[in-house]
Amino acid sequence: MAEAETASTEPQARHIVYCGEWLEKNNPDMHEKLYSEEALQASLSTLSIDARKRAEKDSAKKEAKAAAAEARDAERRAEAMVYIKRVERNKRKYVTAVSGLEAHGLDLKKVAKDWGKKFATGSSVTKTASGTDEIVVQGDNSDDIFDIVVDVLKVPEDNVECIEDKKKKAAG
């Protein structure tokens, strides 16, 4: 009876399947062992002819789908505009709002944090009235942000537009 209890508490071996991309990045030796050309040919040779044809057809479909998705993403990025808006708050106080960066595959929170450090100001991600996210940076940093967006973040210059938004004076 004591032997049965100890046997059930011992850890059991597990078979874990990893994503190929993750494995390639984190354990290249294991990735090479599982996904090398020789390993793939060896596993394909054990398949029947019909199964091999299906596998080739499936892989061709996956490649075509991936290429189409990449082309769509590239087209979407090429058309996506980034708007840098300088908004006047009080007298000589400004904030700079940047919207449209998420379409270029950028993490807005990380970019906002980096800009906050670079300009030594407050910088945050906020929701606009239309429901999209934008980065708001305290101060008039629109020219510097334009340069960073084009040079560092690699957004085409034609896709970046600077807007100046003046506060309306009260009628009186």
Side-chain angles (χ1 to χ4, degrees):
M1 182 124 173
E3 291 175 23
E5 288 178 16
T6 57
S8 64
T9 59
E10 289 182 18
Q12 300 294 314
R14 292 186 181 148
H15 177 72
I16 300 173
V17 179
Y18 293 99
C19 170
E21 294 171 12
W22 181 91
L23 195 61
E24 183 176 20
K25 187 170 73 175
N26 293 303
N27 193 341
D29 296 334
M30 178 71 82
H31 181 269
E32 182 64 28
K33 181 180 167 188
L34 294 175
Y35 295 103
S36 68
E37 192 65 35
E38 296 84 31
L40 293 175
Q41 289 300 328
S43 63
L44 278 177
S45 66
T46 61
L47 293 175
S48 68
I49 294 174
D50 291 337
R52 201 176 309 170
K53 286 180 183 175
R54 280 195 306 268
E56 288 173 3
K57 191 184 281 186
D58 288 347
S59 68
K61 279 183 186 177
K62 285 181 182 177
E63 286 176 19
K65 215 179 236 188
E70 193 173 309
R72 274 195 313 271
D73 287 346
E75 186 178 315
R76 185 175 43 86
R77 271 191 233 112
E79 294 174 359
M81 292 293 294
V82 174
Y83 297 100
I84 302 172
K85 192 180 342 180
R86 186 179 98 164
V87 183
E88 185 177 356
R89 293 183 57 160
N90 298 328
K91 297 188 182 182
R92 293 187 317 257
K93 304 282 184 185
Y94 294 92
V95 293
T96 306
V98 182
S99 59
L101 285 175
E102 67 277 349
H104 292 275
L106 298 168
D107 181 12
L108 295 183
K109 288 186 178 188
K110 184 179 181 307
V111 172
K113 188 173 184 178
D114 291 346
W115 287 354
K117 287 178 184 176
K118 178 165 180 56
F119 301 122
T121 64
S123 178
S124 63
V125 177
T126 59
K127 288 263 188 220
T128 62
S130 62
T132 59
D133 288 338
E134 71 179 0
I135 298 175
V136 178
V137 182
Q138 292 178 359
D140 179 13
N141 300 304
S142 54
D143 294 335
D144 295 330
I145 288 175
F146 179 85
D147 293 338
I148 291 171
V149 167
V150 172
D151 297 337
V152 178
L153 301 178
K154 305 293 184 206
V155 175
E157 193 169 336
D158 296 341
N159 292 21
V160 182
E161 187 175 329
C162 289
I163 304 167
E164 186 165 339
D165 201 13
K166 292 200 180 257
K167 197 172 189 180
K168 293 183 173 83
K169 297 197 179 204

